[in-house]
Amino acid sequence: MQPDESQYLKRKCRTGDIDVHPTEKALVVHYEVEASILGEAGNARHEEKKECQKIIRLRSLNASTDVSALARKVVEECKIIHPSKLAEVEHLLLYLQNRKKPMEKKEKKPSKPRELLPFEGMEIDEEANINKTDDYIELLYESMPEKIRGSTLILHLARNPDNLEELLHNKTLLGALTRVLREDWKHSVELATTIIYVFFCFSSFSQFHGLITHYKIGLLCMNIIEHELKKYDLWQDELEKKSKDPENQSLQKEYEKTLKKYQSFLVKQEQLLRVAFYLLLNLSEDTRTELKMRNKNIVHLLVKSLERENQELLVLVVSFLKKLSIFLENKNDMAEMDTVEKLARLVPCEQEDLMNVTLRLLLNLSFDTGLRTKMVHVGLLPKLTALLGDDTYKHIAMRILYHISVDDKSKSMFAYTDCIPQLMQMVFEHGEEKIDTELISFCINLAANETNAQIICEGNGLKMLMKRALKLKEPLMMKMIRNISQHDGPLKQLFIEYVGDLAAQIKQEGGEEFVIECLGTMANLTIPDLDWELLLKEYNLVPYLKDHLKPGSAEDDLILEVVIMIGTVSMDDSCAVMLAKSGIIPALIELLNEAPAYLIDLMHDKNVEIRQVCDNTLDIIAEYDEEWGKKIQSEKFRWHNSQWLEMVESRQMEDTEPYMYGDDPDALEQPDLFYSTDGMMAPEPGLSPDFYSQSYSQNGDFNACNGADGRPATAYGFRPDEPFFHGYGSTR
């Protein structure tokens, strides 16, 4: 369609995933170009979408390259990469920097590094040739050794991305590989590993995912993984039985013989698991496919694999779990599988990639209250605290610890670690620079516990905190001090020498947030020894308190702190008399008269607890004030009536629509609205998982949110049995 005079072309470019090239030192950037021909009125008259990819070759990347600088350069020069992807690009470049070089094509009998071929001990006596594909297919119909040889030669071809397009069009080859895998995978681990690796080469590129879906390789891989994990358990049981009597010589020899077989089996099996999981990870790029994997119990298989010792396999498994953990259903599955207990043994570990991805998975899981409690119970608290001294893991460890510190029951546990001294040192090392939000927020949470507050104040702790807060006017630092001041006993006495400094801050020009925290700190100082009358007179605070009681004179938070402050100073009899003479009492009464109206506004708040508190408070007010009682009753009736009318109107609308899907009663009979749930589906380009939906709660509990048919809602945003039109076949 050619645009005429009344049309113009509009293009959009949307960035997708960024992958590493399977054989070269290069990044593969996937993106989608959307072209629209718009009419004179701006409406789209014709739209086309095309999925593309850009290869960024990094010939200068070597062991001494500054990966951070190179990542910034890549993001700056490649306009289709959004700046927010900088950390991801840096991680991929680090992987490329540490990856071993691929073997040269011209070698006749190349050695096979584990990262290129997922099995060992397989030698070939000729170089794979794309023109000999038919000969390799014939080998797949021969004996088992010939099948392994033929599949190995095909793998050599598939490892070269330039051959994938040609192999894709050879339906005989792909059909033969699928048939051999389906029929013979139980007979040879090497054969199964090799064939899955062939399909893994295709899975590295999104446009080939439809091919893998067509042959149902994803489902077959999950069946193979499940079988191998069961076989692993049988081997473990067998070894345990034979190791019970070490004094029996014959039984000991049999045990050693079985152990050698087991070790050989374990190496081959873990190579198979690694390539199978990697293929599934690539397929999970589409969230619908990922949800199907979840329904086939992928989380169970992954968590079960956490018991292994192979670090390369563990990096892959934990990375897969981290990707899955952003969805509610998967997080709940991980909670049931005791995932935190299995992850605890990996912290710390020497492998940097494994350590990094394990901490990131724990961070995702730490948004759940129950899982945070488990982290404390399995002993992760001292382990994470020890990481605060390591610059590599300090920030992510602090985020996990911050989440743990949110729970009141867990706050006290920090007193039994060296966490607080380390945090105080970090705070003082900042000098006059702004403190990291994560660090000061963590300190604020810990200061809410009395034992922690005592540790914070040891030595000159409180003095140094006050000095910094008053000098730099930092609201968050003052919030931490305010939390310390709320604890009864000796801690309050420490604030006597700072009362004048706090009072001086209230009337000075500065940020309102800082003043609120200073007022809150003073209001916490319920100390009999303080002469509040003298203090208020010296700093002339009475007019300030009175002026800020007027409705609309300040933000609600500041007015609240003023009221609390008045309550604290009124404990001093002479001070109470002085306040009464100043005319503050009528201002308090006037402010109190505003409360019912404010509570009525909050009566329909989205937060259930706020609604309940407001409802109970309004009931009390209605009992003591007849006029307000009538207003409250009228408002409740009006709200109930509006809800009832809305329900009636929606029912009437449903009655007037004879067909849910339009006027065609046969609409649901169209075959293209349905799809088979067997195997893995083709991916939908451009889909990326959302983090949590708007109905996310602290514990990620969506059980109360049911669909129209009574089934639990899903955090994926759709259900695997929902009909929708879906196709593939686009190229990049």
Side-chain angles (χ1 to χ4, degrees):
M1 178 178 181
Q2 298 294 331
D4 54 32
E5 295 181 354
S6 63
Q7 300 169 342
Y8 64 93
L9 188 64
K10 182 180 179 182
R11 291 187 179 181
K12 292 182 181 178
C13 182
R14 191 176 290 109
T15 307
D17 293 332
I18 305 175
D19 301 321
V20 295
H21 196 283
T23 58
E24 299 179 17
K25 284 187 177 180
L27 296 177
V28 182
V29 183
H30 304 287
Y31 63 98
E32 181 184 84
V33 177
E34 178 180 337
S36 304
I37 296 179
L38 306 182
E40 205 170 34
N43 57 318
R45 302 183 60 180
H46 183 72
E47 293 182 350
E48 287 189 5
K49 293 182 181 179
K50 184 178 181 181
E51 294 187 1
C52 311
Q53 68 180 28
K54 179 180 179 62
I55 297 179
I56 304 174
R57 289 182 169 81
L58 308 160
R59 295 183 176 88
S60 62
L61 180 63
N62 53 52
S64 60
T65 301
D66 185 348
V67 174
S68 299
L70 181 58
R72 288 193 297 270
K73 184 177 179 182
V74 169
V75 173
E76 289 172 2
E77 295 185 0
C78 185
K79 302 302 181 184
I80 62 175
I81 300 180
H82 194 271
S84 63
K85 297 274 189 179
L86 177 61
E88 181 179 352
V89 171
E90 184 176 340
H91 179 74
L92 295 174
L93 292 179
L94 185 62
Y95 170 81
L96 285 173
Q97 188 181 47
N98 297 326
R99 188 173 68 175
K100 295 181 182 179
K101 292 183 178 180
M103 67 178 188
E104 298 292 336
K105 291 183 179 180
K106 294 183 179 179
E107 291 182 353
K108 288 293 182 179
K109 292 185 179 181
S111 61
K112 298 172 179 58
R114 184 171 297 183
E115 71 273 17
L116 292 181
L117 289 179
F119 55 90
E120 298 172 347
M122 183 59 57
E123 294 290 340
I124 59 173
D125 56 7
E126 62 177 293
E127 184 178 357
N129 191 319
I130 192 68
N131 297 322
K132 297 182 180 181
T133 304
D134 292 340
D135 296 336
Y136 305 155
I137 295 175
E138 291 182 4
L139 294 174
L140 297 177
Y141 295 93
E142 302 295 335
S143 62
M144 183 59 68
E146 294 300 314
K147 289 180 180 179
I148 295 175
R149 178 178 170 75
S151 59
T152 303
L153 290 164
I154 294 169
L155 175 58
H156 276 261
L157 297 176
R159 281 176 32 234
N160 184 351
D162 297 334
N163 294 331
L164 291 178
E165 201 71 45
E166 187 170 346
L167 294 175
L168 173 68
H169 298 297
N170 194 329
K171 304 300 181 184
T172 304
L173 169 68
L174 298 175
L177 285 172
T178 305
R179 180 187 61 80
V180 172
L181 178 62
R182 184 173 289 109
E183 293 178 357
D184 295 329
W185 66 265
K186 288 185 179 180
H187 303 144
S188 171
V189 175
E190 291 90 342
L191 178 64
T193 305
T194 308
I195 296 178
I196 292 175
Y197 206 120
V198 173
F199 285 103
F200 162 74
C201 294
F202 284 100
S203 74
S204 299
F205 301 92
S206 299
Q207 64 264 39
F208 298 134
H209 286 186
L211 162 76
I212 301 172
T213 298
H214 175 73
Y215 289 104
K216 301 182 181 179
I217 301 301
L219 178 62
L220 188 54
C221 280
M222 294 193 68
N223 292 337
I224 292 173
I225 292 171
E226 185 176 9
H227 174 82
E228 291 299 324
L229 292 179
K230 290 179 179 178
K231 188 191 294 186
Y232 173 80
D233 290 338
L234 293 175
W235 272 96
Q236 294 276 31
D237 293 341
E238 184 70 18
L239 283 171
E240 187 178 356
K241 291 177 182 177
K242 293 182 178 180
S243 63
K244 287 183 177 179
D245 189 3
E247 296 181 359
N248 188 323
Q249 295 296 326
S250 60
L251 193 61
Q252 184 66 18
K253 289 181 179 179
E254 188 177 350
Y255 168 75
E256 293 175 356
K257 184 178 179 180
T258 304
L259 181 61
K260 289 182 180 180
K261 290 182 179 179
Y262 165 75
Q263 292 171 341
S264 176
F265 152 80
L266 195 61
V267 172
K268 294 179 180 179
Q269 189 193 64
E270 288 180 345
Q271 293 163 354
L272 171 59
L273 293 176
R274 186 178 168 214
V275 70
F277 276 132
Y278 216 141
L279 183 145
L280 293 173
L281 177 60
N282 287 343
L283 291 180
S284 68
E285 174 184 306
D286 177 66
T287 50
R288 288 182 173 85
T289 304
E290 182 181 301
L291 181 54
K292 283 185 163 294
M293 292 181 189
R294 185 262 167 183
N295 292 336
K296 293 291 183 181
N297 226 1
I298 185 66
V299 175
H300 174 87
L301 301 179
L302 288 166
V303 175
K304 181 67 177 174
S305 301
L306 287 175
E307 301 170 1
R308 302 304 180 98
E309 299 297 332
N310 186 306
Q311 292 194 341
E312 293 178 344
L313 175 61
L314 287 172
V315 170
L316 176 60
V317 168
V318 178
S319 299
F320 204 158
L321 287 170
K322 182 178 76 70
K323 181 182 185 300
L324 294 171
S325 65
I326 65 175
F327 287 113
L328 168 72
E329 295 92 335
N330 301 327
K331 182 269 298 179
N332 290 341
D333 288 346
M334 293 178 201
E336 294 174 0
M337 288 288 297
D338 296 330
T339 307
V340 171
E341 288 84 342
K342 292 181 171 64
L343 292 173
R345 75 179 185 89
L346 302 178
V347 180
C349 64
E350 296 181 358
Q351 224 276 13
E352 186 174 338
D353 289 339
L354 178 57
M355 184 69 173
N356 183 56
V357 74
T358 301
L359 291 175
R360 294 186 181 279
L361 172 56
L362 287 171
L363 176 61
N364 284 0
L365 298 178
S366 68
F367 284 88
D368 182 276
T369 304
L371 293 177
R372 290 199 297 268
T373 303
K374 280 190 177 181
M375 291 178 191
V376 177
H377 288 166
V378 299
L380 272 173
L381 197 57
K383 293 182 178 181
L384 293 170
T385 299
L387 295 177
L388 292 177
D390 190 329
D391 291 337
T392 305
Y393 311 113
K394 177 172 64 176
H395 294 292
I396 189 168
M398 187 178 296
R399 292 173 188 173
I400 302 171
L401 290 170
Y402 166 76
H403 285 169
I404 294 175
S405 70
V406 170
D407 304 322
D408 291 335
K409 292 182 179 179
S410 300
K411 285 184 175 71
S412 60
M413 302 300 295
F414 286 89
Y416 303 100
T417 69
D418 62 346
C419 180
I420 297 175
Q422 289 190 68
L423 295 178
M424 293 297 288
Q425 182 179 354
M426 293 179 194
V427 169
F428 299 140
E429 284 176 351
H430 275 76
E432 295 188 3
E433 296 178 1
K434 183 179 179 181
I435 299 179
D436 296 336
T437 305
E438 297 167 353
L439 173 58
I440 190 61
S441 301
F442 188 14
C443 293
I444 290 170
N445 284 352
L446 293 181
N449 177 269
E450 184 174 356
T451 307
N452 295 337
Q454 290 173 351
I455 298 175
I456 292 172
C457 294
E458 286 180 354
N460 294 324
L462 180 60
K463 180 179 180 180
M464 297 182 71
L465 291 176
M466 287 293 301
K467 181 179 179 181
R468 178 186 174 92
L470 295 175
K471 181 179 181 180
L472 302 179
K473 303 291 192 295
E474 291 181 330
L476 292 180
M477 178 65 74
M478 186 53 68
K479 185 182 288 290
M480 176 186 176
I481 295 171
R482 177 181 175 180
N483 279 358
I484 296 174
S485 69
Q486 71 184 352
H487 303 297
D488 295 327
L491 286 174
K492 286 189 187 293
Q493 299 294 330
L494 297 176
F495 284 87
I496 293 179
E497 60 179 293
Y498 304 111
V499 173
D501 295 324
L502 292 170
Q505 301 298 319
I506 294 176
K507 296 187 65 176
Q508 291 183 3
E509 293 184 1
E512 188 174 275
E513 292 182 6
F514 183 73
V515 173
I516 289 174
E517 300 305 331
C518 290
L519 271 171
T521 304
M522 292 182 65
N524 284 336
L525 303 181
T526 52
I527 307 173
D529 300 337
L530 275 176
D531 189 345
W532 285 109
E533 182 182 11
L534 179 62
L535 187 72
L536 294 181
K537 287 180 179 179
E538 182 178 352
Y539 292 94
N540 195 26
L541 292 181
V542 175
Y544 176 88
L545 297 176
K546 183 178 178 181
D547 291 342
H548 286 78
L549 286 177
K550 299 175 183 178
S553 61
E555 294 293 332
D556 292 344
D557 290 342
L558 181 56
I559 296 176
L560 175 61
E561 296 304 331
V562 168
V563 172
I564 298 174
M565 177 69 178
I566 292 172
T568 299
V569 301
S570 296
M571 296 174 63
D572 184 339
D573 294 340
S574 59
C575 188
V577 173
M578 182 182 69
L579 290 175
K581 292 179 179 179
S582 68
I584 276 184
I585 295 177
L588 287 170
I589 294 173
E590 180 62 25
L591 190 63
L592 189 61
N593 290 333
E594 297 291 321
Y598 184 64
L599 291 171
I600 288 176
D601 290 338
L602 292 177
M603 193 167 61
H604 314 303
D605 192 88
K606 294 181 179 179
N607 189 303
V608 178
E609 293 183 1
I610 291 178
R611 290 203 307 269
Q612 185 176 359
V613 170
C614 289
D615 195 51
N616 294 337
T617 307
L618 288 171
D619 288 343
I620 295 173
I621 294 173
E623 290 181 10
Y624 290 91
D625 192 306
E626 184 178 352
E627 184 178 350
W628 272 112
K630 292 178 180 178
K631 292 180 181 179
I632 293 168
Q633 184 179 12
S634 175
E635 174 61 22
K636 287 186 176 182
F637 177 77
R638 186 194 65 78
W639 174 256
H640 177 77
N641 197 35
S642 66
Q643 295 292 305
W644 184 82
L645 289 174
E646 184 179 340
M647 182 186 68
V648 171
E649 289 175 359
S650 63
R651 287 282 181 88
Q652 290 175 347
M653 188 177 295
E654 290 177 2
D655 293 340
T656 58
E657 276 193 21
Y659 302 113
M660 186 175 178
Y661 292 87
D663 297 332
D664 184 6
D666 298 324
L668 292 180
E669 297 300 322
Q670 298 177 15
D672 61 349
L673 290 178
F674 297 87
Y675 64 89
S676 171
T677 57
D678 296 331
M680 298 300 166
M681 306 167 16
E684 182 176 38
L687 267 181
S688 61
D690 294 330
F691 187 68
Y692 281 98
S693 68
Q694 292 181 353
S695 53
Y696 168 73
S697 65
Q698 183 184 17
N699 294 327
D701 186 6
F702 286 83
N703 294 332
C705 305
N706 294 334
D709 55 0
R711 298 177 299 175
T714 166
Y716 280 90
F718 52 82
R719 302 195 63 82
D721 51 351
E722 285 180 352
F724 64 94
F725 181 78
H726 188 69
Y728 60 87
S730 59
T731 59
R732 293 183 179 175

